[in-house]
Amino acid sequence: MQKQEKSFGIQMLSVQPDTKPKGCAGCNRKIKDRYLLKALDKYWHEDCLKCACCDCRLGEVGSTLYTKANLILCRRDYLRLFGVTGNCAACSKLIPAFEMVMRAKDNVYHLDCFACQLCNQRFCVGDKFFLKNNMILCQTDYEEGLMKEGYAPQVR
Ligand SMILES: [Zn+2]
Ligand SMILES: [Zn+2]
Ligand SMILES: [Zn+2]
Ligand SMILES: [Zn+2]
C-alpha cells in the first residue's frame, strides 16, 4: 500500500548576503528577505508558505507541514480533513475524521455499524440502546441478557 499523506519539516534559514537570492516556490519572485523557509526541497517567503485551508503562515504555527493531493496544509486542517476519529468499536476499522459517527460512551461507530450487535436492529432517533461488555444492544436483547444473568448466583 502506498502512503500518500506525509508531513514535512520546515526550516527557517537566514539568507547569506553573498549568495544569489533564491526563487520562492509560492510566488516565483526572488527572496530578498533576511530569512526564508525551506520546505519540500523548495524555498519560500515566510508569507508564501501558507495553509491552503486556513491561510495561516506555516512557518509560524509549527515546524511541520502536511501535504495531500497537492495541497499544503497545517496540521490542524490536515487532521480535520484526512485524519481519523478512531477505530469503530463494532467493525474495528478506522473512521476518517470527516465521516459522521455515532458515539456511545468512549466508543465511536460508523453510522452503518451502529446497530444491535446481536440482532442487527438499527436504532432510530429516540430509540433506547444499551452498552454491555462494550457491545451495543437493543432493549430486547439487553433485557434478555439480564434475565439470563438472573439465574447466576449473586456474588457479594
Ligand atoms: Zn513568495
Ligand atoms: Zn490550516
Ligand atoms: Zn464500523
Ligand atoms: Zn437486538
Side-chain angles (χ1 to χ4, degrees), residues 72-87:
I72 294 180
L73 295 166
C74 67
R75 178 183 158 82
R76 206 186 42 182
D77 284 317
Y78 178 81
L79 289 181
R80 189 168 58 79
L81 293 169
F82 304 112
V84 288
T85 304
N87 288 73

Side-chain angles (χ1 to χ4, degrees), residues 87-95 99-104 107-123 129 131 134-137:
N87 288 73
C88 170
C91 71
S92 62
K93 290 192 188 120
L94 284 175
I95 306 177
E99 200 169 301
M100 293 271 293
V101 292
M102 293 294 292
R103 285 172 198 278
N107 297 336
V108 283
Y109 302 87
H110 295 109
L111 280 191
D112 288 343
C113 292
F114 196 74
C116 171
Q117 284 174 268
L118 285 180
C119 71
N120 281 325
Q121 182 204 299
R122 304 287 294 265
F123 300 97
F129 68 88
L131 264 185
N134 247 346
M135 293 224 307
I136 321 165
L137 296 176

Side-chain angles (χ1 to χ4, degrees), residues 9-13 36-44 49:
I10 304 170
Q11 288 171 277
M12 180 173 289
L13 308 170
L36 59 78
L37 299 175
K38 185 173 184 222
L40 306 169
D41 284 328
K42 292 173 189 150
Y43 299 95
W44 311 77
L49 192 60

